[in-house]
Coordinates of all heavy atoms in Angstrom, one line a residue:
M289 N -20.1 -117.8 68.3 CA -19.0 -117.7 69.2 C -19.4 -117.5 70.7 O -20.3 -116.7 70.9 CB -18.0 -116.6 68.8 CG -17.0 -117.0 67.8 SD -15.4 -116.2 68.0 CE -15.8 -114.6 67.5
P290 N -18.8 -118.2 71.6 CA -19.2 -118.0 73.0 C -18.8 -116.7 73.5 O -17.8 -116.1 73.1 CB -18.5 -119.2 73.7 CG -17.4 -119.6 72.8 CD -17.7 -119.2 71.4
I291 N -19.5 -116.2 74.5 CA -19.2 -115.0 75.2 C -18.7 -115.3 76.6 O -19.4 -116.0 77.3 CB -20.4 -114.0 75.2 CG1 -20.8 -113.6 73.8 CG2 -20.1 -112.8 76.1 CD1 -22.2 -113.0 73.7
Y292 N -17.6 -114.9 76.9 CA -17.0 -115.2 78.2 C -17.1 -113.9 79.1 O -17.1 -112.8 78.6 CB -15.5 -115.6 78.1 CG -15.3 -116.8 77.3 CD1 -14.9 -116.8 76.0 CD2 -15.5 -118.1 78.0 CE1 -14.8 -118.0 75.3 CE2 -15.4 -119.2 77.3 CZ -15.0 -119.2 76.0 OH -14.8 -120.4 75.3
E293 N -17.3 -114.2 80.4 CA -17.5 -113.2 81.3 C -16.2 -113.1 82.2 O -15.7 -114.1 82.7 CB -18.7 -113.5 82.2 CG -19.3 -112.4 82.9 CD -20.6 -112.8 83.6 OE1 -21.1 -113.9 83.3 OE2 -21.1 -112.0 84.4
Y294 N -15.7 -111.9 82.4 CA -14.5 -111.7 83.1 C -14.8 -110.6 84.2 O -15.7 -109.8 84.1 CB -13.4 -111.1 82.3 CG -12.8 -112.1 81.3 CD1 -13.4 -112.2 80.0 CD2 -11.8 -112.9 81.6 CE1 -12.9 -113.0 79.1 CE2 -11.3 -113.8 80.7 CZ -11.8 -113.9 79.4 OH -11.3 -114.7 78.5
E295 N -14.0 -110.7 85.3 CA -14.1 -109.8 86.3 C -12.6 -109.4 86.8 O -11.8 -110.3 87.0 CB -14.9 -110.2 87.5 CG -15.3 -109.1 88.4 CD -16.3 -109.6 89.5 OE1 -15.8 -110.2 90.4 OE2 -17.5 -109.3 89.3
C296 N -12.4 -108.2 87.0 CA -11.1 -107.7 87.5 C -11.2 -107.6 89.0 O -12.1 -106.9 89.5 CB -10.8 -106.4 86.8 SG -9.2 -105.6 87.4
D297 N -10.2 -108.1 89.7 CA -10.2 -108.0 91.1 C -9.7 -106.7 91.6 O -9.9 -106.3 92.7 CB -9.2 -109.1 91.7 CG -9.9 -110.5 91.6 OD1 -11.1 -110.6 91.7 OD2 -9.1 -111.5 91.4
S298 N -9.0 -106.0 90.7 CA -8.4 -104.7 91.1 C -9.3 -103.6 91.0 O -9.6 -102.9 92.0 CB -7.1 -104.5 90.2 OG -6.5 -103.3 90.6
C299 N -9.9 -103.4 89.8 CA -10.8 -102.2 89.7 C -12.3 -102.7 89.6 O -13.2 -101.8 89.4 CB -10.5 -101.5 88.4 SG -10.8 -102.3 86.9
L300 N -12.5 -103.9 89.8 CA -13.9 -104.5 89.8 C -14.6 -104.3 88.5 O -15.8 -104.2 88.4 CB -14.7 -103.9 91.0 CG -14.1 -104.2 92.4 CD1 -15.0 -103.5 93.4 CD2 -14.0 -105.6 92.7
N301 N -13.8 -104.2 87.5 CA -14.4 -104.1 86.1 C -15.0 -105.4 85.7 O -14.4 -106.5 85.8 CB -13.3 -103.7 85.1 CG -13.8 -103.5 83.7 OD1 -14.9 -103.2 83.5 ND2 -12.9 -103.6 82.8
H302 N -16.2 -105.4 85.3 CA -16.9 -106.6 85.0 C -17.4 -106.5 83.5 O -18.0 -105.5 83.1 CB -18.2 -106.7 85.9 CG -18.9 -108.0 85.8 ND1 -18.8 -109.0 86.7 CD2 -19.6 -108.5 84.8 CE1 -19.5 -110.0 86.4 NE2 -20.0 -109.8 85.2
F303 N -16.9 -107.4 82.7 CA -17.2 -107.2 81.3 C -17.3 -108.6 80.6 O -16.9 -109.6 81.2 CB -16.1 -106.4 80.6 CG -14.7 -107.0 80.8 CD1 -14.1 -107.7 79.7 CD2 -14.0 -106.8 81.9 CE1 -12.8 -108.2 79.9 CE2 -12.7 -107.3 82.1 CZ -12.1 -108.0 81.0
E304 N -17.8 -108.6 79.4 CA -18.0 -109.8 78.6 C -17.2 -109.6 77.4 O -17.0 -108.6 76.8 CB -19.5 -110.0 78.3 CG -20.3 -110.3 79.4 CD -21.8 -110.3 79.1 OE1 -22.2 -109.7 78.1 OE2 -22.6 -110.8 79.9
L305 N -16.7 -110.8 76.9 CA -15.8 -110.8 75.8 C -16.2 -111.9 74.9 O -16.2 -113.1 75.3 CB -14.3 -110.9 76.2 CG -13.3 -110.7 75.1 CD1 -13.2 -109.3 74.6 CD2 -11.9 -111.1 75.6
Q306 N -16.5 -111.6 73.6 CA -16.8 -112.7 72.7 C -15.5 -113.2 72.0 O -14.8 -112.4 71.4 CB -17.7 -112.2 71.6 CG -18.3 -113.3 70.8 CD -19.3 -112.8 69.8 OE1 -19.1 -111.8 69.1 NE2 -20.4 -113.5 69.7
Q307 N -15.2 -114.4 72.2 CA -13.9 -114.9 71.6 C -14.1 -116.4 71.3 O -15.0 -117.1 71.8 CB -12.7 -114.7 72.5 CG -12.9 -115.3 73.9 CD -11.7 -115.0 74.8 OE1 -11.8 -115.3 76.0 NE2 -10.6 -114.5 74.3
S308 N -13.3 -116.8 70.4 CA -13.3 -118.2 70.0 C -12.9 -119.1 71.1 O -12.1 -118.8 72.0 CB -12.4 -118.4 68.8 OG -12.3 -119.8 68.5
M309 N -13.3 -120.4 71.1 CA -13.0 -121.3 72.1 C -11.5 -121.7 72.1 O -10.9 -122.1 73.1 CB -13.8 -122.6 72.0 CG -15.2 -122.4 72.4 SD -16.2 -123.9 72.3 CE -15.7 -124.7 73.9
K310 N -10.9 -121.5 70.9 CA -9.5 -121.8 70.8 C -8.6 -120.6 71.1 O -7.4 -120.7 71.2 CB -9.1 -122.4 69.4 CG -9.4 -121.5 68.3 CD -9.1 -122.2 67.0 CE -9.1 -121.2 65.8 NZ -10.5 -120.8 65.5
D311 N -9.2 -119.5 71.3 CA -8.4 -118.3 71.8 C -8.0 -118.5 73.2 O -8.6 -119.1 74.0 CB -9.3 -117.1 71.7 CG -9.4 -116.6 70.2 OD1 -8.8 -117.1 69.4 OD2 -10.2 -115.6 70.0
E312 N -6.8 -117.9 73.5 CA -6.4 -117.8 74.9 C -7.3 -117.0 75.7 O -7.8 -115.9 75.2 CB -4.9 -117.3 74.9 CG -3.9 -118.2 74.3 CD -3.7 -119.4 75.2 OE1 -3.6 -119.2 76.4 OE2 -3.6 -120.5 74.7
P313 N -7.6 -117.4 76.9 CA -8.4 -116.5 77.7 C -7.7 -115.2 78.1 O -6.5 -115.2 78.2 CB -8.6 -117.4 79.0 CG -7.6 -118.4 79.0 CD -7.3 -118.7 77.5
L314 N -8.5 -114.2 78.2 CA -7.9 -112.9 78.5 C -7.2 -112.9 79.9 O -7.7 -113.5 80.9 CB -9.0 -111.8 78.5 CG -8.5 -110.4 78.5 CD1 -8.0 -110.1 77.1 CD2 -9.7 -109.5 78.8
Q315 N -6.0 -112.3 79.9 CA -5.3 -112.3 81.2 C -5.3 -111.0 82.0 O -5.3 -111.0 83.2 CB -3.8 -112.6 80.9 CG -3.5 -114.0 80.3 CD -3.7 -115.2 81.2 OE1 -3.7 -115.0 82.4 NE2 -3.9 -116.3 80.7
T316 N -5.4 -110.0 81.2 CA -5.3 -108.7 81.9 C -6.5 -107.8 81.6 O -7.2 -107.9 80.6 CB -4.0 -107.9 81.4 OG1 -4.1 -107.8 80.0 CG2 -2.8 -108.6 81.9
C317 N -6.8 -107.0 82.6 CA -8.0 -106.1 82.5 C -7.7 -105.0 81.5 O -6.6 -104.3 81.5 CB -8.2 -105.5 83.9 SG -9.4 -104.2 83.9
P318 N -8.6 -104.7 80.5 CA -8.4 -103.6 79.5 C -8.5 -102.3 80.2 O -8.1 -101.3 79.6 CB -9.5 -103.9 78.5 CG -10.5 -104.6 79.2 CD -9.8 -105.4 80.3
N319 N -9.0 -102.2 81.4 CA -9.2 -101.0 82.1 C -8.0 -100.5 82.9 O -7.5 -99.4 82.8 CB -10.4 -101.1 83.0 CG -10.9 -99.8 83.5 OD1 -10.9 -98.8 82.8 ND2 -11.4 -99.7 84.7
C320 N -7.4 -101.5 83.7 CA -6.3 -101.1 84.5 C -5.1 -102.0 84.4 O -4.0 -101.7 84.9 CB -6.8 -101.2 86.0 SG -7.1 -102.9 86.6
G321 N -5.2 -103.1 83.6 CA -4.0 -103.9 83.3 C -3.8 -105.0 84.4 O -2.8 -105.7 84.2
A322 N -4.6 -105.0 85.4 CA -4.4 -106.0 86.4 C -4.9 -107.4 85.9 O -5.6 -107.5 84.8 CB -5.1 -105.6 87.7
K323 N -4.7 -108.4 86.6 CA -5.1 -109.7 86.2 C -6.6 -109.9 86.4 O -7.2 -109.5 87.4 CB -4.4 -110.8 87.1 CG -4.4 -112.1 86.4 CD -3.4 -113.0 87.2 CE -3.3 -114.4 86.4 NZ -2.3 -115.3 87.0
V324 N -7.2 -110.5 85.4 CA -8.6 -110.7 85.5 C -8.9 -112.2 85.6 O -8.0 -113.1 85.3 CB -9.4 -110.2 84.2 CG1 -9.4 -108.7 84.2 CG2 -8.8 -110.8 82.9
R325 N -10.0 -112.6 86.1 CA -10.4 -114.0 86.1 C -11.7 -114.2 85.3 O -12.6 -113.3 85.3 CB -10.6 -114.4 87.6 CG -11.6 -113.6 88.4 CD -11.4 -113.9 89.9 NE -12.2 -112.9 90.6 CZ -13.5 -113.1 91.0 NH1 -14.1 -114.2 90.7 NH2 -14.1 -112.2 91.7
R326 N -11.8 -115.3 84.8 CA -12.9 -115.7 84.0 C -14.0 -116.3 84.9 O -13.7 -117.1 85.7 CB -12.6 -116.7 82.9 CG -13.6 -116.8 81.8 CD -13.0 -117.2 80.5 NE -12.8 -118.6 80.5 CZ -12.3 -119.3 79.4 NH1 -12.0 -118.6 78.3 NH2 -12.1 -120.6 79.4
I327 N -15.2 -115.8 84.7 CA -16.3 -116.3 85.5 C -17.1 -117.3 84.8 O -17.5 -117.1 83.6 CB -17.2 -115.1 85.9 CG1 -16.4 -114.1 86.7 CG2 -18.4 -115.6 86.7 CD1 -17.1 -112.8 86.9
F328 N -17.3 -118.4 85.4 CA -18.1 -119.5 84.8 C -19.4 -119.5 85.6 O -19.6 -120.1 86.6 CB -17.5 -120.8 84.9 CG -16.3 -121.0 84.0 CD1 -15.0 -120.7 84.5 CD2 -16.5 -121.3 82.7 CE1 -13.9 -120.8 83.6 CE2 -15.4 -121.3 81.8 CZ -14.1 -121.1 82.3
G329 N -20.4 -118.8 85.1 CA -21.7 -118.7 85.7 C -22.7 -119.4 84.8 O -22.4 -120.0 83.8
L330 N -23.9 -119.2 85.2 CA -25.0 -119.8 84.5 C -25.1 -119.3 83.1 O -25.4 -120.0 82.2 CB -26.3 -119.6 85.3 CG -27.4 -120.6 85.0 CD1 -27.1 -122.0 85.3 CD2 -28.7 -120.1 85.8
N331 N -24.9 -118.0 83.0 CA -25.0 -117.4 81.7 C -23.7 -116.8 81.2 O -23.7 -116.0 80.3 CB -26.0 -116.2 81.8 CG -27.4 -116.7 82.2 OD1 -27.9 -117.6 81.7 ND2 -27.9 -116.0 83.2
S332 N -22.6 -117.3 81.7 CA -21.3 -116.7 81.3 C -20.9 -117.2 79.9 O -20.2 -116.5 79.2 CB -20.2 -117.1 82.4 OG -20.1 -118.5 82.4
V333 N -21.3 -118.4 79.6 CA -20.9 -118.9 78.3 C -22.2 -119.1 77.5 O -23.0 -119.9 77.8 CB -20.1 -120.2 78.3 CG1 -19.8 -120.7 77.0 CG2 -18.9 -120.0 79.2
I334 N -22.3 -118.3 76.4 CA -23.5 -118.4 75.6 C -23.2 -118.9 74.2 O -22.4 -118.3 73.5 CB -24.2 -117.1 75.5 CG1 -24.5 -116.5 76.9 CG2 -25.5 -117.1 74.7 CD1 -24.7 -115.0 77.0
F335 N -23.7 -120.1 73.9 CA -23.4 -120.6 72.6 C -24.6 -120.2 71.7 O -25.7 -120.5 71.9 CB -23.3 -122.1 72.6 CG -22.0 -122.6 73.3 CD1 -22.0 -122.9 74.6 CD2 -20.9 -122.6 72.6 CE1 -20.9 -123.3 75.2 CE2 -19.7 -123.1 73.2 CZ -19.7 -123.4 74.5
K336 N -24.2 -119.5 70.6 CA -25.2 -119.1 69.7 C -25.2 -120.1 68.5 O -24.2 -120.5 68.0 CB -24.9 -117.7 69.2 CG -25.3 -116.7 70.2 CD -24.9 -115.3 69.7 CE -25.3 -114.3 70.8 NZ -24.8 -112.9 70.5
G337 N -26.4 -120.5 68.1 CA -26.5 -121.3 67.0 C -26.7 -122.8 67.4 O -27.5 -123.5 66.7
T338 N -26.2 -123.2 68.4 CA -26.5 -124.6 68.9 C -27.8 -124.5 69.7 O -28.5 -124.0 69.6 CB -25.3 -125.1 69.8 OG1 -25.2 -124.3 70.9 CG2 -24.1 -125.2 69.0
G339 N -28.1 -124.8 70.6 CA -29.3 -124.4 71.2 C -30.3 -125.4 71.4 O -30.0 -126.6 71.6
F340 N -31.5 -125.0 71.3 CA -32.6 -125.8 71.8 C -33.3 -126.5 70.7 O -33.6 -125.9 69.7 CB -33.6 -124.9 72.5 CG -34.7 -125.6 73.2 CD1 -34.5 -126.2 74.4 CD2 -35.9 -125.7 72.6 CE1 -35.5 -126.9 75.1 CE2 -37.0 -126.4 73.2 CZ -36.8 -127.0 74.5
Y341 N -33.4 -127.8 70.9 CA -34.1 -128.6 69.9 C -35.4 -129.1 70.5 O -35.4 -129.6 71.6 CB -33.2 -129.8 69.5 CG -32.1 -129.4 68.7 CD1 -30.8 -129.2 69.3 CD2 -32.2 -129.1 67.3 CE1 -29.7 -128.8 68.5 CE2 -31.1 -128.7 66.6 CZ -29.9 -128.6 67.2 OH -28.8 -128.2 66.4
C342 N -36.4 -129.0 69.8 CA -37.7 -129.4 70.3 C -37.7 -131.0 70.3 O -37.5 -131.6 69.3 CB -38.8 -128.9 69.4 SG -40.4 -129.3 70.0
T343 N -38.0 -131.5 71.4 CA -38.0 -133.0 71.5 C -39.4 -133.5 71.5 O -39.6 -134.7 71.7 CB -37.3 -133.4 72.8 OG1 -37.8 -132.7 73.9 CG2 -35.8 -133.1 72.7
D344 N -40.3 -132.6 71.4 CA -41.7 -133.1 71.4 C -42.1 -133.6 70.1 O -42.5 -132.9 69.2 CB -42.6 -131.9 71.8 CG -44.1 -132.4 72.1 OD1 -44.3 -133.6 72.0 OD2 -44.9 -131.5 72.2
T345 N -42.0 -134.9 69.9 CA -42.3 -135.5 68.6 C -43.6 -136.2 68.6 O -43.9 -137.0 67.7 CB -41.1 -136.5 68.2 OG1 -40.9 -137.4 69.2 CG2 -39.8 -135.7 67.9
K346 N -44.3 -136.0 69.6 CA -45.6 -136.6 69.7 C -46.5 -136.3 68.6 O -46.7 -135.1 68.3 CB -46.3 -136.3 71.0 CG -45.9 -137.2 72.2 CD -46.7 -136.8 73.5 CE -45.9 -135.8 74.3 NZ -46.5 -135.4 75.5
T347 N -47.0 -137.3 67.9 CA -48.0 -137.0 66.9 C -49.3 -137.7 67.3 O -49.3 -138.7 67.9 CB -47.5 -137.6 65.5 OG1 -47.1 -139.0 65.7 CG2 -46.3 -136.8 65.0
K348 N -50.3 -137.1 66.8 CA -51.7 -137.6 67.2 C -51.9 -138.9 66.4 O -51.9 -138.9 65.1 CB -52.7 -136.6 66.8 CG -54.0 -136.9 67.5 CD -55.1 -135.8 67.1 CE -56.4 -136.2 67.6 NZ -57.5 -135.4 67.1
T349 N -52.1 -140.0 67.1 CA -52.3 -141.3 66.4 C -53.7 -141.7 66.7 O -54.2 -141.7 67.8 CB -51.3 -142.3 66.9 OG1 -51.3 -142.3 68.3 CG2 -49.9 -142.1 66.3
E350 N -54.4 -142.1 65.6 CA -55.7 -142.6 65.8 C -55.7 -144.0 66.3 O -54.8 -144.8 66.0 CB -56.4 -142.6 64.4 CG -56.6 -141.2 63.8 CD -57.6 -140.4 64.5 OE1 -58.5 -140.9 65.2 OE2 -57.4 -139.1 64.5
P351 N -56.6 -144.4 67.2 CA -56.7 -145.8 67.6 C -57.0 -146.7 66.4 O -57.9 -146.4 65.6 CB -57.8 -145.8 68.6 CG -58.6 -144.6 68.4 CD -57.6 -143.6 67.8
S352 N -56.3 -147.8 66.3 CA -56.5 -148.7 65.1 C -57.9 -149.4 65.2 O -58.3 -149.9 66.3 CB -55.4 -149.7 65.0 OG -55.3 -150.4 66.2
C353 N -58.5 -149.5 64.2 CA -59.9 -150.1 64.1 C -59.7 -151.6 64.1 O -58.9 -152.2 63.4 CB -60.6 -149.7 62.8 SG -62.2 -150.4 62.7
P354 N -60.4 -152.3 65.0 CA -60.2 -153.8 65.1 C -60.9 -154.5 63.9 O -60.5 -155.6 63.6 CB -61.0 -154.1 66.4 CG -61.9 -153.0 66.6 CD -61.3 -151.8 66.0
N355 N -61.8 -153.8 63.2 CA -62.4 -154.5 62.0 C -62.1 -153.7 60.8 O -63.0 -153.2 60.1 CB -63.9 -154.6 62.2 CG -64.2 -155.5 63.4 OD1 -63.7 -156.6 63.5 ND2 -65.1 -155.0 64.3
K356 N -60.8 -153.4 60.6 CA -60.5 -152.5 59.5 C -60.9 -153.0 58.1 O -61.2 -152.2 57.2 CB -58.9 -152.3 59.5 CG -58.5 -151.0 58.9 CD -57.1 -150.7 59.3 CE -56.7 -149.2 58.9 NZ -55.4 -148.8 59.4
E357 N -60.9 -154.3 58.0 CA -61.3 -154.9 56.7 C -62.8 -154.7 56.3 O -63.1 -154.3 55.2 CB -61.0 -156.4 56.7 CG -59.6 -156.8 56.9 CD -58.7 -156.3 55.8 OE1 -59.0 -156.4 54.6 OE2 -57.6 -155.7 56.2
S358 N -63.6 -154.9 57.3 CA -65.1 -154.8 57.0 C -65.7 -153.5 57.6 O -66.9 -153.3 57.5 CB -65.8 -156.0 57.6 OG -65.5 -156.1 59.0
C359 N -64.9 -152.7 58.3 CA -65.5 -151.5 58.9 C -65.9 -150.5 57.9 O -65.2 -150.2 56.9 CB -64.4 -150.9 59.8 SG -65.0 -149.4 60.6
S360 N -67.1 -150.0 58.0 CA -67.7 -149.1 57.0 C -67.1 -147.7 57.1 O -67.0 -146.9 56.2 CB -69.2 -149.0 57.2 OG -69.5 -148.5 58.5
A361 N -66.5 -147.4 58.4 CA -65.9 -146.1 58.5 C -64.5 -146.1 57.9 O -64.1 -145.1 57.4 CB -65.8 -145.8 60.0
C362 N -63.8 -147.3 58.0 CA -62.5 -147.4 57.4 C -62.6 -147.6 55.9 O -61.7 -147.3 55.1 CB -61.7 -148.6 58.0 SG -61.3 -148.4 59.7
N363 N -63.7 -148.2 55.4 CA -63.9 -148.4 54.0 C -65.2 -147.7 53.5 O -66.2 -148.3 53.3 CB -64.0 -149.9 53.7 CG -62.8 -150.6 54.2 OD1 -61.7 -150.5 53.6 ND2 -62.9 -151.4 55.3
P364 N -65.1 -146.4 53.3 CA -66.3 -145.7 52.9 C -66.7 -146.1 51.5 O -65.9 -146.4 50.7 CB -65.9 -144.2 53.1 CG -64.4 -144.2 53.0 CD -63.9 -145.5 53.5
Ligands
ZN448 ZN1 -9.2 -103.7 86.2

């Protein structure tokens, strides 16, 4: 579940809230009841479980032998 970051303009309460994406965004500060705003920062929404996939699929390939049929190394 993503974690959303909120900040209250009234009491400057800064907090994070884990909620579902289909949940309504929080409207009021749990500290003072004033209106809060959701912050979209670089780390404000953290998706757990999706993430980073390694794209490095490079595999070590041997150069193909030009004389594979008669090569003594290829046909020991
Ligand atoms: Zn507040």
Side-chain angles (χ1 to χ4, degrees):
M289 271 214 291
I291 296 168
Y292 295 100
E293 200 174 350
Y294 290 91
E295 193 172 80
C296 175
D297 287 328
S298 182
C299 71
L300 302 176
N301 184 22
H302 190 107
F303 59 99
E304 292 172 342
L305 187 70
Q306 190 177 46
Q307 56 182 171
S308 171
M309 288 182 82
K310 61 181 188 292
D311 283 354
E312 289 291 315
L314 195 73
Q315 298 287 341
T316 54
C317 173
N319 194 35
C320 71
K323 200 167 186 179
V324 288
R325 57 194 169 92
R326 196 155 79 177
I327 298 167
F328 290 97
L330 198 64
N331 299 310
S332 61
V333 181
I334 302 157
F335 289 95
K336 286 178 177 168
T338 62
F340 186 79
Y341 291 95
C342 186
T343 53
D344 187 9
T345 53
K346 270 183 270 179
T347 50
K348 195 183 175 188
T349 49
E350 298 292 330
S352 56
C353 181
N355 299 310
K356 207 163 189 172
E357 298 299 314
S358 56
C359 178
S360 61
C362 294
N363 303 288

